[in-house]
Amino acid sequence: MPGIDPDVVDLVTRPGALPEGTPFFLGPDMRPREPLTSYFFDLSKYVGAVSLRDYAYDLMALEDFLGRVLDPPTDLLLATEEDLVGFRRYRTALQPSPAPRRGSGTTSLPISPARSSPT
């Protein structure tokens, strides 16, 4: 490739290199965010780029819900099962453009205004 060092091409195309389209997440300090980055690096061994993209958007929606919609806010590592149930309800029924439900026979549960604090 013109203008690209051949060693770089070998590096990104070698066996075991991350497939094109693998998402990665950076924190405010521009360093990889864990465990998100490692999770997607591992997941890229098993699913294609389109699925990785879809999972990344779902994860970003979850983080947005946990940090901006949920009261009080929490983060991904401290989220409870109740928070995840609230996220599902928000995505399928309450957000301005609800996402379609996946699966069948599911029930909707209201978002609880009070959450228990982690101990």
Side-chain angles (χ1 to χ4, degrees), residues 49-81:
V50 173
S51 293
L52 289 170
R53 183 195 65 215
D54 291 345
Y55 294 155
Y57 279 116
D58 288 343
L59 182 61
M60 290 187 303
L62 174 59
E63 284 204 309
D64 184 62
F65 172 81
L66 294 172
R68 293 186 334 119
V69 176
L70 200 62
D71 186 27
T74 190
D75 67 21
L76 188 62
L77 296 178
L78 296 175
T80 65
E81 182 177 358

Side-chain angles (χ1 to χ4, degrees), residues 24-34 36-37 63:
F24 58 93
F25 296 84
L26 299 176
D29 60 356
M30 298 305 291
R31 297 180 54 93
R33 287 193 48 213
E34 293 298 345
L36 306 177
T37 300
E63 284 204 309

Side-chain angles (χ1 to χ4, degrees), residues 13 24 28 31 41 46 95 97 103-104:
T13 59
F24 58 93
R31 297 180 54 93
F41 286 2
Y46 308 103
Q95 74 180 11
S97 296
S104 60

Side-chain angles (χ1 to χ4, degrees), residues 16 20 22 30 52 64 66 75 77 83 88 94 106-107:
E20 186 173 333
T22 301
M30 298 305 291
L52 289 170
D64 184 62
L66 294 172
D75 67 21
L77 296 178
D83 297 335
R88 181 176 157 270
L94 301 176
T106 57
T107 53

Side-chain angles (χ1 to χ4, degrees), residues 62 65-66 69-70 80-95 107-113 115:
L62 174 59
F65 172 81
L66 294 172
V69 176
L70 200 62
T80 65
E81 182 177 358
E82 186 176 348
D83 297 335
L84 299 178
V85 169
F87 172 68
R88 181 176 157 270
R89 170 122 168 89
Y90 176 77
R91 291 280 290 172
T92 59
L94 301 176
Q95 74 180 11
T107 53
S108 296
L109 300 175
I111 297 176
S112 174
R115 293 183 12 253

